[in-house]
Amino acid sequence: MKQVTDKDVAIIILNWNAYDDTFECLKSLEHLTYPYFHVFLVDNASQDNSFDKLRQDYKDGKFNVPITFIQTGKNLGFAGGNNVAIREAYNQGYQYFWMLNNDTVVDPNALTPLVEVLEKEEKVGIVGSKIYYYGTNKIWFAGGRINTWTGVAWHIGMNKDDIGQFENIKDDVDYITGCSLFFRREIIEQIGYMEEDYFLYYEETDLNIRASKMGWKIKIVPRSIVFHKVSLSSGGTENLAPYVLYYRIRNSLLLIKKTQNKYKILISRVYVLVVILKQLLKIFIKNHNFKIKRIQYLLLGYIHGITEISGKHPVV
């Protein structure tokens, strides 16, 4: 085991049935200008042999970055899988952690400014990259906002061409997406790891809210640039996999229940009913496939959200 210094960054990447994406992500890390990092590649029991192929690639010298390979043995979800690797890096003494989606490609200078902000600003606990849609200069994420009355979260700048309008962002944001989320060791020590009840979606938003309540500032760092192959694993942005509706409905309700007062909990439950009605109309107007399954997931998401049933989505 290497001697970990205060400069070292643990890069946490979760793989699940995505050999090509993860391979390209790892190759992009070879060009990072910041030299002090170690990759912790964790796999959620992939069924496509991708983890074994990536490990063999490493043995064959195809990656010029240091990698520790971790197999969870089962699908623990986004938070569960990432937490396994974060715990390992924490136990090894790392001070900085960079959660990075496996379907991203990083700019060579993506890591350096993230480290610099935390080194200069002691009250900042979480920072994130400006994220483009893969292969474009169209913004997918330039900071996150969340309405704590409704549970609705949204991306600043989403779908806008980047003409420099976000280069001088100084205000805090509400959350950083788990697609590229950089945080300091003290976050773990004070508030713990990501909540695994969500399984998919909202777990990093929950982490950000808890950090903010502890007095930590959360900032976007526009000089750090990442490209994201958005939602490839869940069916793309126009026709998402049916189970995604379940997580978005249920987890927005769970988030408010876990982090807000009873008045906001009541308002969120009413609001989500309106969201469900809009989604039902959208399913038919846009003629989505698997209509019955989508409707079932919408209704189950609401029921499970208010009854606090968590974990992986049911099969319908």
Side-chain angles (χ1 to χ4, degrees):
M1 187 182 298
K2 65 165 284 187
Q3 181 66 40
V4 177
T5 73
D6 289 349
K7 291 180 175 292
D8 285 314
V9 175
I11 301 180
I12 312 297
I13 299 175
L14 177 65
N15 177 69
W16 188 65
N17 296 332
Y19 172 79
D20 290 338
D21 287 340
T22 305
F23 185 94
E24 187 177 7
C25 179
L26 291 170
K27 292 298 290 183
S28 73
L29 298 179
E30 295 179 351
H31 305 291
L32 286 173
T33 57
Y34 189 86
Y36 310 110
F37 68 87
H38 187 96
V39 179
F40 291 80
L41 180 64
V42 58
D43 185 80
N44 259 348
S46 292
Q47 301 300 306
D48 64 347
N49 202 36
S50 57
F51 184 69
D52 291 334
K53 289 168 65 178
L54 290 164
R55 189 161 47 187
Q56 186 61 50
D57 287 341
Y58 186 62
K59 292 178 180 177
D60 293 341
K62 293 184 180 180
F63 300 122
N64 189 27
V65 293
I67 305 175
T68 294
F69 290 83
I70 302 171
Q71 176 57 252
T72 66
K74 63 178 180 179
N75 188 354
L76 301 177
F78 180 82
N82 277 290
N83 280 347
V84 169
I86 294 170
R87 284 191 184 94
E88 177 61 30
Y90 178 86
N91 290 336
Q92 291 186 24
Y94 282 85
Q95 299 297 311
Y96 297 125
F97 304 80
W98 188 19
M99 281 174 47
L100 191 65
N101 269 21
N102 68 313
D103 60 351
T104 60
V105 171
V106 304
D107 179 82
N109 195 47
L111 182 52
T112 301
L114 298 177
V115 176
E116 288 177 345
V117 170
L118 291 199
E119 285 183 339
K120 292 177 182 177
E121 302 185 45
E122 294 182 356
K123 293 183 179 180
V124 177
I126 299 174
V127 292
S129 308
K130 180 171 63 177
I131 303 173
Y132 294 131
Y133 288 93
Y134 181 73
T136 76
N137 75 330
K138 189 179 291 292
I139 292 170
W140 181 71
F141 182 85
R145 296 294 183 199
I146 183 159
N147 185 324
T148 56
W149 287 91
T150 64
V152 174
W154 67 95
H155 293 188
I156 298 169
M158 191 173 188
N159 294 325
K160 293 183 178 179
D161 291 326
D162 190 358
I163 55 174
Q165 67 271 51
F166 300 106
E167 290 306 301
N168 298 308
I169 297 176
K170 295 181 179 179
D171 295 336
D172 293 358
V173 296
D174 294 334
Y175 73 94
I176 296 297
T177 173
C179 181
S180 175
L181 188 153
F182 189 93
F183 61 98
R184 61 172 80 241
R185 183 182 182 88
E186 288 86 346
I187 294 294
I188 299 172
E189 293 172 344
Q190 290 190 16
I191 68 172
Y193 296 86
M194 286 186 292
E195 292 282 349
E196 299 180 13
D197 291 347
Y198 295 99
F199 194 81
L200 185 67
Y201 299 126
Y202 279 91
E203 52 275 283
E204 77 270 42
T205 312
D206 177 288
L207 181 77
N208 279 264
I209 290 174
R210 288 187 287 132
S212 181
K213 286 187 172 184
M214 292 294 292
W216 290 105
K217 292 184 177 181
I218 301 165
K219 292 185 176 294
I220 190 75
V221 183
R223 291 185 296 125
S224 172
I225 295 173
V226 168
F227 299 90
H228 186 204
K229 303 169 188 176
V230 178
S231 296
L232 290 180
S233 63
S234 54
T237 57
E238 291 302 315
N239 203 19
L240 292 168
Y243 64 83
V244 172
L245 296 171
Y246 171 82
Y247 287 120
R248 287 184 172 176
I249 294 297
R250 186 197 70 179
N251 289 353
S252 67
L253 293 168
L254 288 180
L255 178 77
I256 300 302
K257 176 68 175 179
K258 286 173 177 287
T259 65
Q260 305 300 321
N261 61 45
K262 62 181 181 180
Y263 301 108
K264 290 186 176 182
I265 293 170
L266 178 61
I267 294 297
S268 69
R269 290 178 178 180
V270 173
Y271 179 82
V272 169
L273 284 174
V274 176
V275 171
I276 290 173
L277 289 174
K278 290 182 178 179
Q279 283 293 334
L280 289 172
L281 288 173
K282 186 176 180 181
I283 288 170
F284 288 98
I285 291 173
K286 294 199 172 184
N287 196 29
H288 285 167
N289 56 5
F290 306 113
K291 291 182 178 63
I292 299 300
K293 186 173 289 188
R294 293 180 189 278
I295 293 169
Q296 289 176 310
Y297 273 129
L298 277 171
L299 299 178
L300 279 174
Y302 188 79
I303 294 169
H304 289 180
I306 62 177
T307 57
E308 299 181 63
I309 295 175
S310 58
K312 189 176 181 179
H313 67 276
V315 177
V316 300

